[in-house]
Amino acid sequence: MLSGRKILQKLGVPALVLASIALFVLSMPRFSFSGFAWFFCVPLAVWSLKRPAWKRWLPATWAFCYLSGVLILIWLSRLYPPLGWIAVFLLPVIYTAFPFAWFVALRKIFPLCTRERSVGFRVLCMLGLSGLWIVLEWVLTWFLTGFPWMPLGATQWNFPAVLSLCKFAGTPAASAMVVFFNLAVARYIWKQFVEMRRPCARASSADPISVCAAPLPKFFRSFCPEFYIALAPIFVSIVMFAYSCFNYENEAEKKFSFAAVQTNFDPMEKWDKTRFSENLDVLKTLTLAAPLLGDDKPQMTLLQAKSALAENAFSRDKNRVGNNAERSRERSLDFILWPEAAMPVLQLGDKENGYEEFLAGLSRAAKTPIVAGAIYAAKTPANPDGYYNSVHVIDPKFGLGENFAAKRHLVPFGEYVPLADILPLRKVVPVATDCLRGTSFEPLCVRSRKNSVLKLGVLVCYEDVFPELGRAVVNAGADTIAVVTNDAWYGEGSGAYQHMAHSVMQAVSLGVPVIRCGNAGWSGVISPIGQIYEMADARGSIYFRGVRRFDVYGKRDAEPTFYALHGDWLVLAGGAFFALALAASLRECKREKIRPASGVM
């Protein structure tokens, strides 16, 4: 029989990998144990300090990257089974290469961060590794058209106190902070439980704490500067958040009110012509009920909306127009927001289907503009059946506006087929023609009830996972970002929550409110300081059919954030730090003639 020690030795590496996987996956939405992200890499980082053999390190860290990717993207299984399952297991193979490259660098550089070397050298190495992480996350924004899903910083979506630095450097600031803290904790554990129990190999004049010639009190000998350096940006962020909250409470004012219509259609039934009349009735009922929402009743389910409309109609018929009924017919909303491609069976721009007249009439009946996600027919000589996945404004007085926002970053195999002329590939949505790509970032203008102009920067579907698109619409003049999406494709798993986390990062990085409306999934408002207001039913579920009113607050004439103006400068700085750290570590390896130990756990 194996002894207990041998069993631990055999289970040691799998246990480390499983611990890191559990911490990493549980830090992601829907679990959202955000604090776990600050420790996800500690087990593997501590192990790297023992200089494990590459033949053990490489498969173990690859397993961490791949299995974590599978578990995080498991929601893709709901998308066109069995094709979704293929994506669940195939996508992590492709995108595993990026975090895996980071773990290769970790094994090469981090073992040099021992007490024999100066604090400056150790901090440089840790900054370099943090910089490499955010560089690799940035590469994911454009590699193979881009899929930067759930960067590490986005795990902190429900912990806005640590996101204050994002207004200066975007999501990379939060990601770098989390990575550096993981490394600092690993270094602290190594110092306390390994180095403190070993005699000093040599004294370093650059790191007086490591000098063993004169006995020092245990506190000084156990002091780990890197750990306290890692705490510094967290402390600064929390202080900045407290200051931002104070300013926001004193300076923010009500900008507008809107109602989010969540239809909760099955994603395939939206395209089913036999369900057209039923779906259209749902959309019409929820839209007409939106103006009846008030402070006393800000939300209605579909059944409640039908009841409220019937009661309101009965009051009018009986000439019992009291105060409540009178208020219900006032324009209390600035606009009503529909989800992405609310009725894809009908295309705007097709004069024969009457959809434009229907929308104009519905807006007049509600006495409120409608900001509607739609499919817009855009026939071109090269693509006679072409269309845009777009968002339009329908005004009760002027009807359908000429300007619209079209999706710019299209989904491969959903809205277009890459290499369709070479490979026998087809789209997974029931429209054979490729979607056309939008080019404009100009905001949509909506006439408010006070006759002021609201400027909405529109992001369609998963465009909000791309930070550069949010920056583009804000720099084009938008004072609010509106995200319309159809997260019903993901089922009721973690996909909608993970998607929403990106909108939180857009809000705190760009300093503007973000409003969201989904066919199913997460609808609500995110304030510029990360406060979250969601649309949920009595059970707390975000998956239901209804309409909710939201009041949106913000600062008047707010200045663009540093990140909005200057973009991903921290990524460039991170790359520079990594280059310096790599050069310094290679020089140190050569000087000290360090060779990796083999056969160590």
Side-chain angles (χ1 to χ4, degrees), residues 143-194:
F143 178 73
L144 294 181
T145 77
F147 188 62
W149 194 262
M150 283 310 299
L152 185 59
T155 61
Q156 306 304 303
W157 68 274
N158 59 346
F159 193 12
V162 300
L163 298 179
S164 299
L165 295 179
C166 292
K167 67 178 66 175
F168 298 103
T171 305
S175 295
M177 217 164 38
V178 173
V179 172
F180 192 92
F181 188 84
N182 271 270
L183 298 176
V185 171
R187 169 71 191 130
Y188 183 85
I189 291 173
W190 183 261
K191 185 175 182 68
Q192 303 305 312
F193 295 97
V194 178

Side-chain angles (χ1 to χ4, degrees), residues 199-321:
C200 289
R202 64 179 175 86
S204 170
S205 59
D207 189 4
I209 295 173
S210 68
V211 177
C212 299
L216 294 173
K218 185 176 180 180
F219 171 79
F220 292 102
R221 287 187 289 116
S222 64
F223 184 74
C224 184
E226 303 94 304
F227 180 72
Y228 297 98
I229 292 173
L231 290 175
I234 301 173
F235 176 77
V236 170
S237 183
I238 293 174
V239 171
M240 288 177 56
F241 177 71
Y243 179 75
S244 297
C245 288
F246 176 79
N247 277 354
Y248 186 76
E249 291 295 330
N250 287 289
E251 299 178 12
E253 58 185 38
K254 185 175 177 180
K255 300 182 69 174
F256 59 87
S257 299
F258 80 101
V261 172
Q262 188 164 283
T263 50
N264 199 25
F265 294 144
D266 182 279
M268 291 303 298
E269 289 180 358
K270 287 178 63 176
W271 302 87
D272 187 351
K273 294 183 179 180
T274 63
R275 304 293 297 271
F276 168 72
S277 297
E278 177 185 343
N279 291 344
L280 190 65
D281 182 64
V282 169
L283 191 60
K284 181 179 178 180
T285 299
L286 293 175
T287 301
L288 291 176
L292 304 180
L293 297 171
D295 294 336
D296 56 334
K297 192 171 187 179
Q299 180 173 299
M300 295 182 189
T301 63
L302 178 62
L303 291 177
Q304 291 170 333
K306 289 181 178 179
S307 176
L309 288 173
E311 181 180 349
N312 191 65
F314 178 79
S315 298
R316 292 200 313 270
D317 292 342
K318 295 298 183 179
N319 294 320
R320 292 187 297 186
V321 185

Side-chain angles (χ1 to χ4, degrees), residues 453-590:
V453 176
L454 306 175
K455 297 180 179 180
L456 303 181
V458 176
L459 300 178
V460 181
C461 188
Y462 85 143
E463 284 190 320
D464 62 334
V465 310
F466 296 93
E468 67 272 16
L469 296 182
R471 287 184 57 238
V473 297
V474 168
N475 288 330
D479 53 20
T480 302
I481 292 178
V483 179
V484 296
T485 185
N486 180 14
D487 288 345
W489 294 107
Y490 312 148
E492 297 187 7
S494 59
Y497 289 93
Q498 292 178 10
H499 190 187
M500 177 272 297
H502 293 83
S503 288
V504 175
M505 304 310 294
Q506 293 276 11
V508 297
S509 298
L510 300 172
V512 297
V514 173
I515 63 175
R516 279 180 122 256
C517 182
N519 166 44
W522 199 91
S523 301
V525 175
I526 304 151
S527 78
I529 59 173
Q531 297 167 321
I532 298 169
Y533 308 91
E534 70 177 10
M535 179 176 175
D537 65 11
R539 299 174 295 124
S541 172
I542 61 174
Y543 303 101
F544 72 103
R545 189 170 286 172
V547 58
R548 181 179 175 90
R549 172 194 172 121
F550 293 95
D551 296 330
V552 179
Y553 292 81
K555 294 182 181 180
R556 180 182 295 274
D557 300 324
E559 294 293 328
T561 63
F562 188 88
Y563 175 72
L565 295 174
H566 301 283
D568 291 319
W569 62 270
L570 187 62
V571 174
L572 182 61
F577 273 116
F578 175 68
L580 292 173
L582 182 61
S585 62
L586 292 176
R587 185 177 67 250
E588 185 68 16
C589 283
K590 184 178 180 180

Side-chain angles (χ1 to χ4, degrees), residues 340-512:
E340 174 191 11
M343 290 299 299
V345 174
L346 295 176
Q347 290 191 358
L348 277 174
D350 185 346
K351 301 297 183 182
E352 297 179 0
N353 62 20
Y355 193 32
E356 181 177 332
E357 290 76 13
F358 168 79
L359 290 176
L362 189 59
S363 179
R364 286 193 297 270
K367 297 185 178 180
T368 309
I370 299 173
V371 179
I375 300 297
Y376 184 74
K379 304 180 186 298
T380 65
N383 193 352
D385 297 321
Y387 65 95
Y388 288 111
N389 186 354
S390 54
V391 177
H392 303 254
V393 177
I394 302 94
D395 189 87
K397 183 176 180 180
F398 303 105
L400 179 66
E402 293 183 1
N403 297 327
F404 63 93
K407 189 175 182 181
R408 293 139 297 233
H409 199 113
L410 305 180
V411 180
F413 305 107
E415 292 165 322
Y416 78 102
V417 181
L419 306 175
D421 297 333
I422 302 174
L423 302 176
L425 302 173
R426 295 179 59 84
K427 294 169 64 178
V428 296
V429 298
V431 178
T433 310
D434 281 355
C435 183
L436 299 176
R437 192 183 304 274
T439 57
S440 174
F441 292 95
E442 293 299 317
L444 278 183
C445 295
V446 182
R447 185 171 58 91
S448 74
R449 52 185 163 165
K450 298 178 181 179
N451 285 322
S452 60
V453 176
L454 306 175
K455 297 180 179 180
L456 303 181
V458 176
L459 300 178
V460 181
C461 188
Y462 85 143
E463 284 190 320
D464 62 334
V465 310
F466 296 93
E468 67 272 16
L469 296 182
R471 287 184 57 238
V473 297
V474 168
N475 288 330
D479 53 20
T480 302
I481 292 178
V483 179
V484 296
T485 185
N486 180 14
D487 288 345
W489 294 107
Y490 312 148
E492 297 187 7
S494 59
Y497 289 93
Q498 292 178 10
H499 190 187
M500 177 272 297
H502 293 83
S503 288
V504 175
M505 304 310 294
Q506 293 276 11
V508 297
S509 298
L510 300 172
V512 297

